[in-house]
Amino acid sequence: MWRNIASNALTIFVVVLFLLGGLITLLKSQYYKPGPLAEAICLKVEPGSSMSRVAGQLSVQGAVTSQKLFHVGVDYTNKSGDLKAGSFLIPAAASMAEIADQITTGGRNTCGTEVVYRVGVTRTTVLVRELDPATNAYKEVVRFNPADDAIPDAYSRVVTLNDTRMRVAASEGTTSWQVVEALKSIDILTGDIPEVPAEGSLAPDSYEIRTGDLRVDILSRMALAQEGRLADVWAARDDTTPVETIDQLLVLASIIEKETGVFDERFQVASVFANRLDKGMPLQTDPTVIYGITLGKGPLGRGLRKSELRSDTPWNTYVNRGLPPTPIANPGLASLQAAVSPTETDYIFFVADGTGGHAFAVTLKEHNRNVAAWRKIEVERNQ
């Protein structure tokens, strides 16, 4: 009898174990399969929130089929204690596992409100934007110039919120002085900047910031990024590289950056300067003359005078042959790459073509035709 009881108990245990295994398999498949969201949503996790509360939010927003299963799955994968505060873009059909990964790793806001402090070559602009989860595109809420405009309420309201993403975006071709002045104008940053970093030493890019960050720390991040770019680009150079040192690379790249904002043109512009350097010709580039006047402290704001083209400043490449003594701006990665690997051409000249790009020429006769065409466009535009 005891043998029968033991046998029956064993059978029941095996059946229960089998059913339990099947249940676990079913629950795991539910946890990892695509979710019910028809379109993306922005999930806001408040500081101090619990995983149980977030599971409830997800259920209300239709992102999970089972609030309880989501909570159990997070516990099972040991993620319950890793919840991050912030705003998270949950894509359409995201599984519970994918959602759990998003809200427990990284810690950077991927949706909601964004404040961008855009450092440009002519002005600094502050933009407040909202991400539309359905289109994954930002919609501008307000834009203002902190130097001239009153601070909008739309900015004051969001800049103090914990889930607002904030970043500094420095454009290619900005000078170190412009970056420093922009950082000084950002009210959420702290600390003094004892000196302006060397020209060309800051990498134009986008940098995440938080309220209370030190201004000098942001400059350090920018300088470290530029050092890394320079090292990588210099290591990839070949025998055709027209410069002999990293310092010369930075100077040439800064001139290329100021001459064109068209990505594909940078390598052609670089070829003109490489050919001129090879032939011992002066570079004759206006941005270097402008830098000799402004020293990078903002745009000139007018056209160059003939007397200025003849002025003997160290940066005047009409008067002096070779490269100027320092960079004239902070070049981006593409200009650095163009400086070490210019396109092989016979071009010696270029001039604006009216489309935002340039017309290139091998001979002075061709160049004069291109200049005449550009002058005609200028006259027509000014009528």
Side-chain angles (χ1 to χ4, degrees):
M1 182 180 72
W2 290 108
R3 182 179 297 173
N4 290 336
I5 292 174
S7 177
N8 290 337
L10 181 60
T11 300
I12 292 172
F13 176 75
V14 170
V15 170
V16 170
L17 195 61
F18 177 78
L19 292 174
L20 184 60
L23 179 61
I24 292 174
T25 301
L26 176 63
L27 293 177
K28 286 182 67 175
S29 70
Q30 293 291 314
Y31 186 70
Y32 286 98
K33 80 172 189 178
L37 274 180
E39 62 180 34
I41 62 168
C42 188
L43 175 69
K44 186 173 182 178
V45 179
E46 299 283 357
S49 286
S50 65
M51 193 62 76
S52 178
R53 179 180 175 184
V54 171
Q57 289 177 248
L58 289 168
S59 180
V60 169
Q61 292 184 269
V64 297
T65 53
S66 168
Q67 175 180 342
K68 184 64 176 177
L69 177 56
F70 177 79
H71 202 175
V72 170
V74 172
D75 285 339
Y76 181 77
T77 53
N78 297 317
K79 295 180 182 291
S80 289
D82 298 328
L83 181 63
K84 309 293 185 185
S87 295
F88 302 92
L89 182 65
I90 309 299
S95 69
M96 296 187 201
E98 290 169 337
I99 295 172
D101 285 341
Q102 278 192 275
I103 64 177
T104 58
T105 58
R108 196 188 85 171
N109 294 324
T110 55
C111 67
T113 305
E114 176 183 64
V115 176
V116 184
Y117 302 92
R118 185 171 292 167
V119 187
V121 295
T122 59
R123 67 178 63 85
T124 295
T125 306
V126 182
L127 285 81
V128 179
R129 312 192 303 175
E130 293 279 354
L131 184 69
D132 180 0
T135 62
N136 200 26
Y138 278 101
K139 295 181 178 179
E140 186 174 310
V141 176
V142 70
R143 157 194 311 248
F144 66 98
N145 182 339
D148 302 323
D149 302 330
I151 305 299
D153 290 340
Y155 168 81
S156 301
R157 185 170 59 252
V158 302
V159 77
T160 58
L161 300 178
N162 291 323
D163 63 339
T164 298
R165 180 189 181 194
M166 294 175 287
R167 59 189 177 92
V168 173
S171 302
E172 290 91 346
T174 52
T175 65
S176 294
W177 181 88
Q178 288 175 312
V179 173
V180 166
E181 291 302 302
L183 293 181
K184 287 180 181 178
S185 74
I186 299 176
D187 54 356
I188 66 168
L189 300 178
T190 60
D192 296 328
I193 300 174
E195 61 182 0
V196 176
E199 198 68 84
S201 65
L202 306 176
D205 209 337
S206 180
Y207 299 86
E208 298 282 331
I209 62 172
R210 296 179 185 276
T211 299
D213 281 354
L214 292 172
R215 294 179 174 92
V216 291
D217 288 347
I218 296 168
L219 289 174
S220 295
R221 288 161 58 192
M222 298 176 77
L224 187 63
Q226 192 75 321
E227 287 176 13
R229 289 179 180 182
L230 280 167
D232 291 342
V233 170
W234 188 246
R237 73 191 187 283
D238 57 31
D239 294 338
T240 65
T241 297
V243 291
E244 298 178 356
T245 67
I246 287 185
D247 289 341
Q248 290 180 351
L249 160 63
L250 199 53
V251 173
L252 180 56
S254 73
I255 298 173
I256 296 167
E257 192 67 75
K258 296 301 287 186
E259 279 289 7
T260 182
V262 180
F263 178 83
D264 293 338
E265 267 198 358
R266 286 179 170 91
F267 294 86
Q268 287 177 290
V269 170
S271 77
V272 172
F273 293 138
N275 291 337
R276 282 180 167 263
L277 289 170
D278 186 56
K279 295 176 183 296
M281 298 173 65
L283 297 184
Q284 296 183 320
T285 170
D286 289 358
T288 60
V289 181
I290 293 171
Y291 191 84
I293 299 168
T294 66
L295 299 181
K297 296 181 179 181
L300 182 60
R302 57 170 174 79
L304 280 168
R305 303 186 179 103
K306 289 184 178 180
S307 60
E308 291 168 336
L309 293 174
R310 296 191 297 269
S311 63
D312 191 10
T313 73
W315 292 273
N316 189 334
T317 54
Y318 285 87
V319 174
N320 303 297
R321 295 179 186 273
L323 294 168
T326 71
I328 61 172
N330 291 297
L333 179 59
S335 291
L336 291 172
Q337 293 169 333
V340 296
S341 302
T343 302
E344 289 189 21
T345 75
D346 294 323
Y347 295 141
I348 298 297
F349 307 96
F350 64 91
V351 68
D353 64 2
T355 67
H358 294 84
F360 296 84
V362 175
T363 67
L364 182 58
K365 185 177 180 180
E366 290 177 287
H367 179 59
N368 286 338
R369 282 201 303 266
N370 292 336
V371 170
W374 168 237
R375 297 289 181 238
K376 182 179 178 181
I377 292 171
E378 283 188 308
V379 170
E380 291 173 350
R381 287 179 176 176
N382 292 328
Q383 286 179 345

